[in-house]
Amino acid sequence: MRVLLIHPDSPRNVGASDKSIKFIGKKAYVPPLGLITVAALLPQHWDMKLVDLTFQTVSAQLWERTDLVIISGTILQYREIIDLIQEAKRRNKIVAVGGPGVFHFSQDALHAGADFVIKGEGEITVPLLLDAMKRGEQGVILESTEPADMTKS
């Protein structure tokens, strides 16, 4: 499976164009730790690429070679998340989306075309995603309120 993990850009001076980011010589405020964690929880024989749209772009070649798109971001990135879901579906990709940006707006993400909307900690929900994919499910919300055991993460 070829997976593209996407961290959306942030709107209005919160991204790479922010003067404070440039001043300290960084490309973003923080790395997308949620997506990095998800990548660590996925089968390690899968081919994974992480793109942070704060300072990177997704090339046409990368879109083409991708089977599964995983998107996660904050509520500030909600519009960008919806746009990314729609772009990935336009390109006929399987889409899984999670994070606080869609936690309260799960139906919006499904309506935008997401195959899987994930609510809860990745340590618990990634196995749910893998099982749902094996069963061929689409258009579902995968949810767990169980806290992650951080000693196993």
Side-chain angles (χ1 to χ4, degrees):
M1 178 76 62
R2 295 170 302 183
V3 182
L4 174 59
L5 300 112
I6 303 178
H7 179 73
D9 193 6
S10 298
R12 297 191 198 99
N13 298 325
V14 183
S17 62
D18 187 314
K19 290 179 184 177
S20 61
I21 292 294
K22 289 180 180 181
F23 178 75
I24 61 173
K26 300 292 180 183
K27 293 182 180 180
Y29 281 107
V30 294
L33 296 177
L35 285 171
I36 293 169
T37 301
V38 167
L41 296 167
L42 291 171
Q44 293 303 290
H45 65 277
W46 286 9
D47 180 14
M48 293 177 260
K49 301 290 182 199
L50 171 67
V51 174
D52 184 341
L53 294 179
T54 304
F55 62 93
Q56 296 174 302
T57 60
V58 180
S59 68
Q61 181 182 17
L62 186 53
W63 274 118
E64 180 63 31
R65 65 171 295 284
T66 296
D67 303 310
L68 169 65
V69 176
I70 299 177
I71 305 163
S72 181
T74 68
I75 291 174
L76 282 175
Q77 298 163 313
Y78 171 77
R79 182 71 250 158
E80 289 79 8
I81 291 168
I82 297 299
D83 291 346
L84 284 166
I85 293 168
Q86 292 170 337
E87 178 65 18
K89 292 312 291 181
R90 187 181 71 73
R91 295 173 180 268
N92 298 313
K93 306 305 175 187
I94 302 166
V95 178
V97 60
V102 297
F103 182 84
H104 297 289
F105 306 103
S106 304
Q107 293 300 323
D108 291 352
L110 286 177
H111 182 71
D115 297 290
F116 306 98
V117 175
I118 300 155
K119 297 172 70 171
E121 300 300 326
E123 293 82 355
I124 308 300
T125 57
V126 166
L128 299 176
L129 171 63
L130 296 174
D131 289 343
M133 289 176 65
K134 283 180 189 172
R135 290 189 302 272
E137 295 181 17
Q138 291 181 317
V140 295
I141 297 173
L142 305 171
E143 182 173 11
S144 175
T145 56
E146 186 179 336
D149 180 351
M150 297 310 289
T151 64
K152 296 180 181 177
S153 178

